[in-house]
Structures are given as C-alpha cells and as structure tokens.
Amino acid sequence: MTDKKLLFTGATAPEKREGWQGLRQFTRARIGLSRSGNAQCTKDVLAFQESHSKARDAVHIPLDIAHLQAEMGDTPVICVSSQAPDRQTYLRRPDLGRRLNAESLAGLSHGAWDVVFVAADGLSSIATQKEALPLYRAMCKRLLGWRIAPLVVATQSRVALGDEIAQKMGAKIVVMMIGERPGLSVADSMGVYLTYAPYVGCPDSSRNCLSNIHTYGLSTSAAADKLTWLMQEAMRLKETGIGLKDSSPENGIIENTPKIS
C-alpha cells in the first residue's frame, strides 16, 4: 500500500510547491522542484540535463566570426587571436589567452583612439554572438564625439587580452565584451570589463565590470546607459577599478527585467 506521506513530504508537497510558482517568474534558479517518492520528477531531471548540455555547447561552440562580419556590413572589423592555438589549450592554459599571437599583434595599427571595443568569445561564444553587436551599436549612438576604434573580434580570449589590444592601438579605454562562464541556469550571459589606460599585466583591480547581460538579466539598453556613465567618469577621473564607484542611475532596471516564461 502506498504511503502518501512518503510521496509528498516537506517542501515537495504539492501545496508547498505551488507556493514557489509565484517566485519562479523572477528567477532561473531551480526552486520548488517536484519529487516522486525520493527522486526528482523526470521533467526536472531532463531540464537539468538540457541546461548542462547548453553550458557545454556555450564553452565549445566556436564564435561565428563570418556572421558577425556580415552583420557589421561595410563597417571595418579587425579579427585577432590569442596565443592559445585551439580550444583545449585555451581551457588548460589561461595565461595564453591573455596575450596576442604574433600575427595578430603585427596586424594592429597605432592610432589616437578614445576607446576600442573588443568582442571576445571567452567561455560562452553564444553570449558574445547574441549580445556584443547590439551593445556596441547602442554605445556608438551614446558616445557622440568620441574617437572609437574599429571593432575588434577576438578568439580564444581572456579578459586581459583587451589590455594588449588597446596598448598596441593607442586607445585610452578598452571595453571588453566577453562571454561569461556558463552556469546551469544561464549559458548565454555576457560580461563587460572597462579599463582606463590598460597595459599588459594590468591588475583586475583596475577594471569595472558589468555582468549578467542576457535576455532575463541586464538588458542591452540598461547596460549601455551604465557603461556610458562609467566611461564618462573614467575619462574625467582618468582611472577605473577601485577608484571609480558605480553611482549611475538605476532607471528601473529591476522593473524592466523580463519575467521568466
């Protein structure tokens, strides 16, 4: 005879699970999971496996550079690579992902730029593919009067690769748009690292970061507003990182975040 207390116990009882449903629209975290006896229900197990597969894909699928170039049309794009020759090396040798290979370094020209934007694959090429160009275009509209270098697309790249790119191109500021390490809730989240007067060996304490840019996180418009404020302050103060606190207006960021469907 089936003991109903074994099937529905504690927080997994139907009446308690229903209590979580109102909250699930605000988060992609796995809350209020259902159970069948001592095991999770099949739909939740399958959902977990699907998320795990998406995370692996985000790490290993190459950035589609040809598609990015096609989207940019006649606007110039510079493509560079780190010293990591392939994905396996990139994952095992983070240090190689922080330096340009010889060919890429030789191909960058020095100029008098205020800022250079870098779209880098990082640990989620899917995030960069979706989020980098919309943010770049939004920033170009907001930075009227700024000398903006051609967009650089970087592969097998870590955050610090942007320092060497900006140093070689003579840019005062580098904005590194890079795919974040995927989790089991979000595999397509992009982060942005802002560095004033970057150089090879620049410490992370000299950077400001905006993270969680994706469909259900920080929107492109909100990220562009925050980044514009930070860049204007960076130029005024001539520094980023611990010397630049984010006091930009929030402008209803939480209220405008899409609910989970």
Side-chain angles (χ1 to χ4, degrees):
M1 179 177 175
T2 303
D3 188 341
K4 293 184 177 179
K5 290 183 178 179
L6 289 177
L7 290 177
F8 306 116
T9 58
T12 63
E15 63 274 14
K16 293 192 175 182
R17 289 202 305 271
E18 291 173 1
W20 291 97
Q21 298 310 308
L23 297 175
R24 294 198 68 170
Q25 64 180 314
F26 300 111
T27 178
R28 298 175 72 84
R30 287 181 165 76
I31 60 174
L33 300 181
S34 55
R35 287 184 176 276
S36 177
N38 291 326
Q40 287 187 343
C41 285
T42 302
K43 65 180 182 63
D44 291 326
V45 174
L46 293 176
F48 180 88
Q49 292 174 342
E50 180 186 16
S51 296
H52 186 254
S53 297
K54 287 181 177 178
R56 289 179 61 86
D57 286 348
V59 172
H60 292 285
I61 290 178
L63 187 65
D64 190 343
I65 297 175
H67 185 72
L68 287 177
Q69 289 176 316
E71 285 195 74
M72 289 292 287
D74 296 331
T75 305
V77 175
I78 300 173
C79 298
V80 300
S81 295
S82 74
Q83 294 180 4
D86 52 55
R87 202 59 174 168
Q88 292 304 317
T89 306
Y90 168 81
L91 294 173
R92 293 169 179 163
R93 292 286 305 274
D95 57 316
L96 296 181
R98 301 184 183 111
R99 297 300 302 270
L100 289 167
N101 63 28
E103 183 181 356
S104 298
L105 190 60
L108 295 178
S109 301
H110 194 276
W113 307 110
D114 291 322
V115 58
V116 58
F117 287 83
V118 181
D121 50 4
L123 288 167
S124 175
S125 59
I126 295 173
T128 305
Q129 201 82 50
K130 291 173 58 178
E131 306 292 346
L133 288 192
L135 180 61
Y136 173 72
R137 289 175 176 139
M139 292 305 300
C140 288
K141 292 179 181 178
R142 287 165 170 78
L143 297 176
L144 299 178
W146 286 57
R147 293 169 296 182
I148 303 174
L151 177 68
V152 177
V153 176
T155 53
Q156 315 297 8
S157 172
R158 302 279 174 175
V159 171
L161 192 74
D163 300 336
E164 190 167 26
I165 293 170
Q167 191 174 21
K168 183 70 189 301
M169 295 183 72
K172 295 178 181 176
I173 291 177
V174 59
V175 176
M176 174 62 92
M177 305 177 289
I178 189 167
E180 295 178 335
R181 185 186 304 277
L184 291 175
S185 297
V186 180
D188 57 353
S189 179
M190 188 180 76
V192 174
Y193 293 82
L194 172 68
T195 311
Y196 183 88
Y199 58 92
V200 174
C202 185
D204 289 340
S205 59
S206 296
R207 312 186 199 283
N208 287 83
C209 177
L210 299 176
S211 65
N212 213 29
I213 301 172
H214 59 89
T215 303
Y216 298 104
L218 189 63
S219 69
T220 299
S221 176
D225 288 343
K226 272 187 168 293
L227 185 56
T228 302
W229 187 92
L230 287 168
M231 291 176 67
Q232 291 171 341
E233 286 298 291
M235 289 294 266
R236 183 178 69 84
L237 298 172
K238 300 187 183 307
E239 65 176 331
T240 46
I242 58 176
L244 173 56
K245 303 301 181 186
D246 182 4
S247 302
S248 58
E250 294 298 329
N251 291 334
I253 287 177
I254 296 177
E255 291 80 359
N256 295 329
T257 301
K259 293 182 173 61
I260 308 296
S261 58

